[in-house]
Amino acid sequence: MDYIKIVRESFPELSDARIHYEGSKIVIYTRNKNFFLVQDEKIKEIVEKIKKRIEIRIEPDSLLQTDLAIKKIKEIIPKEAEVSEIYFEPDFSRVIIEVRHPQIAIGERGEVVRRIKKETFWIPLVQRVATPKSPYVEAIRKTLFKSSSFRKRFLNNIGKKIYLTEPKETKYARVIALGGCREVGRSCFLLQTPNSNVLLDCGISTGVTGEDQYPIFLQDFDIDSLDAIVLSHAHLDHAGFIPYLYKIGYKGPLYCTEPTRELAALLQTDTIQLMQKETGKSLYTSSDIKKMIKYAIPLKYKEVTDITSDIRLIFENAGHLLGSAISHFNIANGKENLIYTGDIKYSVSNLLDPAFTQFLRCESLIIESTYGGPNDLTPRLEDAEKELISIIEETSKRGGKILIPSFAVGRGQELMVIFEKYNIELPIYIDGMIFDASSIHSTYPKYLAYNLQRKIIDENKNPFESDRFIHVANYKEREDILEDENPYIVIATSGMMNGGPILEYLKKFGPDKKNTLIFVGYQAHGTLGNKIQQGYKEIELPNGEKLQINLEVRTLNGLSGHSDRKQLLNFIGHLKEKPKRVLVVHGEESKALSLSGAIQKIFNIECYAPMNLEAFRFI
Ligand SMILES: [Zn+2]
């Protein structure tokens, strides 16, 4: 349907305005400043009628000149907001204002930004400055800024593709499993209708070599037929293969939240370095990651977006990782509603609120089962925290070091919040990309748990900026820390110990029994972390070196970012509408099968744990 025609016909006074698509949004460029400033009831009416977002902008040639606009903005924004950077995106008639205190820069009920709009005609976008400062985050922002004109054209083409082709009747809808079934790793599903080919996640596996690391794209898969990729969250087992698709010619959109876009780029950059170190080559380069960033279309939770002519997408909080999302696919105008959980945490954590369950419609559900086995019952968070603190006390009393392998994103920040809460006195070193990921957490406090959000925004107490944490910035600093005789805590990547700085600490402290190694996250089969967790006394490091493991090894399950079996079942039990069918994925074979059986028995729902390459028809 041509929505632009409807908008144009509704506003005869905009006869000379440019109106076009920008993704699933309709944008009006006008020189009529009164129309821009006073958006009337009629716009609301049209939005209600066509169910599309409409944004009104002033034509770039009628905006206040940038030097004058900067002066004006600095006059208007209170000093206490601490403006750090102002830059313009003329293609979007937008000015991005980076500040330390967005609340102040936005003003009560938005009065400050409204004044900026009125006096400069630019649309102000206030962003929290990324702290602690991270070169990775700065590089991502630069890439976005530099590609502004490209993005404008790209979004316009996407909109035309979605709305200007007459869709065929949606006679079928199916999902094909391309990876992540009866295994943890390489999550990837293809959602197909007569009008759409959409990938849900596209990850790689860690701890596996050869072809089995990657999703299974059969010979007849045509990259040009792919309309969109929807990414649930940044972890590599969901996002690790995406830059490769851009490398081999994919030119379509990637839908994800803003934090997911940035965290995914960070983890992918890290994995390139790891791959190069291990095998001397990598699957893709940083220029492929940049391409991915340029093609990403960020969505907020609850925002309704047409991603193809017969699929609408809504993200909701998944509680698993900053920006992690449950995807709600509304297919063929509500004929079918498919919910894909990605990874979920359905209980409180220090970092995030529990996963969303109040979906208005849900006929089919695809759910993860990482900890879906009958014995996967995690202790309460509070008990896990207390155990963590007591392990730290015992170890430091005997003069030992505490090593915590952690993913750069998620567990690292959860631990930082806990250590801040319990006022831990020992020095705490943070090594690897955890610091950069923390910077992204500070940038998007609205995605954090409500209490933590209030602390950062209202009380200006940001745990990620606390002096308690010492960033290990380079090799030299690490050498000094390794020589330190006194007890300390180190949180370092990688989370499953298959590389990263954690190995340097393990090499030094692994043979001595007064030290302790604490696992707080999932250890996949085949990884070094998994071997140590199972009790191996001698291990082989990635470089072939043998190492004696005498230090104490502990596992804390209560800090996981995944739901345990009870929480997964509770999630289904608390869904507003009981699904008609459930597919159980993202779990080792026995766990996926066991959870599937339990769901069938408890809820009396048709349930199945598919194998890779199986297809399921919903319509
Ligand atoms: Zn995950």
Side-chain angles (χ1 to χ4, degrees), residues 232-238 320-321 324 342-344 368 561-562 586:
S232 65
H233 66 286
H235 278 149
L236 289 172
D237 56 334
H238 296 257
H320 168 68
L321 194 76
S324 64
D343 292 353
I344 45 167
E368 67 126 324
H562 290 275
H586 198 288

Side-chain angles (χ1 to χ4, degrees), residues 517-530:
L517 177 69
I518 310 176
F519 288 110
V520 292
Y522 183 76
Q523 304 298 311
H525 274 302
T527 58
L528 192 58
N530 186 266

Side-chain angles (χ1 to χ4, degrees), residues 404-408 492-499 502 519-523 529:
I404 311 181
S406 165
F407 294 109
T493 55
S494 71
M496 299 191 201
M497 307 190 80
N498 44 343
I502 188 70
F519 288 110
V520 292
Y522 183 76
Q523 304 298 311

Side-chain angles (χ1 to χ4, degrees), residues 125-380:
L125 186 73
V126 175
Q127 262 183 3
R128 176 179 282 269
V129 66
T131 50
K133 263 203 168 324
S134 151
Y136 289 97
V137 178
E138 278 167 20
I140 291 168
R141 294 213 165 158
K142 208 175 272 170
T143 301
L144 281 172
F145 178 60
K146 279 205 288 203
S147 59
S148 163
S149 300
F150 163 83
R151 288 178 51 74
K152 176 81 199 164
R153 285 193 307 277
F154 166 65
L155 288 169
N156 184 228
N157 289 336
I158 291 295
K160 283 198 242 172
K161 192 175 163 196
I162 296 171
Y163 296 119
L164 296 186
T165 39
E166 202 48 52
K168 296 180 202 133
E169 188 193 342
T170 307
K171 284 186 178 158
Y172 67 84
R174 66 171 186 171
V175 157
I176 307 172
L178 303 181
C181 287
R182 302 196 187 187
E183 64 182 350
V184 176
R186 58 166 170 174
S187 277
C188 191
F189 300 89
L190 180 62
L191 171 59
Q192 288 185 311
T193 75
N195 301 295
S196 314
N197 282 298
V198 176
L199 270 192
L200 324 186
D201 288 342
C202 197
I204 53 175
S205 288
T206 28
V208 185
T209 50
E211 288 281 285
D212 290 349
Q213 293 173 72
Y214 314 125
I216 311 160
F217 288 100
L218 296 178
Q219 302 84 322
D220 59 354
F221 179 78
D222 173 14
I223 193 87
D224 294 327
S225 70
L226 195 58
D227 298 299
I229 305 173
V230 175
L231 174 59
S232 65
H233 66 286
H235 278 149
L236 289 172
D237 56 334
H238 296 257
F241 203 64
I242 294 173
Y244 181 74
L245 297 182
Y246 283 99
K247 181 181 170 177
I248 60 169
Y250 175 59
K251 290 192 179 67
L254 168 72
Y255 292 96
C256 60
T257 63
E258 271 185 312
T260 296
R261 175 187 63 193
E262 297 179 16
L263 292 171
L266 185 75
L267 295 179
Q268 289 155 350
T269 306
D270 197 28
T271 203
I272 290 180
Q273 287 164 5
L274 212 68
M275 282 188 232
Q276 257 156 358
K277 217 169 164 188
E278 271 174 18
T279 62
K281 51 182 190 233
S282 66
L283 193 59
Y284 42 80
T285 63
S286 58
S287 81
D288 302 312
I289 298 175
K290 272 192 192 144
K291 227 183 268 174
M292 178 195 84
I293 295 170
K294 278 163 60 179
Y295 283 90
I297 302 183
L299 303 180
K300 294 189 173 72
Y301 293 148
K302 303 197 183 299
E303 197 175 312
V304 184
T305 305
D306 295 310
I307 58 168
T308 66
S309 59
D310 64 354
I311 299 179
R312 212 166 279 154
L313 168 68
I314 308 145
F315 280 145
E316 297 286 359
N317 171 36
H320 168 68
L321 194 76
L322 188 80
S324 64
I326 301 178
S327 312
H328 174 176
F329 297 96
N330 172 315
I331 303 166
N333 262 324
K335 203 168 171 184
E336 169 76 16
N337 288 270
L338 167 69
I339 307 287
Y340 170 58
T341 64
D343 292 353
I344 45 167
K345 175 82 173 173
Y346 189 52
S347 91
V348 280
S349 73
N350 287 289
L351 214 54
L352 305 167
D353 287 327
F356 179 85
T357 53
Q358 299 304 294
F359 299 95
L360 292 178
R361 296 267 310 274
C362 169
E363 284 84 45
S364 303
L365 173 72
I366 305 179
I367 190 169
E368 67 126 324
S369 59
T370 319
Y371 290 109
N375 302 320
D376 288 330
L377 292 174
T378 52
R380 287 185 325 145

Side-chain angles (χ1 to χ4, degrees), residues 456-516:
I456 296 176
I457 298 175
D458 298 345
E459 298 170 34
N460 199 19
K461 280 187 190 145
N462 183 349
F464 309 119
E465 285 186 89
S466 163
D467 297 339
R468 202 179 299 280
F469 305 110
I470 308 154
H471 182 204
V472 186
N474 53 46
Y475 180 73
K476 182 81 204 47
E477 286 181 19
R478 188 179 306 134
E479 288 287 283
D480 292 344
I481 295 161
L482 283 165
E483 291 311 317
D484 188 345
E485 304 263 306
N486 299 307
Y488 59 73
I489 300 170
V490 60
I491 310 173
T493 55
S494 71
M496 299 191 201
M497 307 190 80
N498 44 343
I502 188 70
L503 295 182
E504 302 301 321
Y505 298 93
L506 184 71
K507 250 195 265 178
K508 175 91 179 176
F509 303 121
D512 189 341
K513 66 175 193 300
K514 70 171 189 279
N515 303 316
T516 306

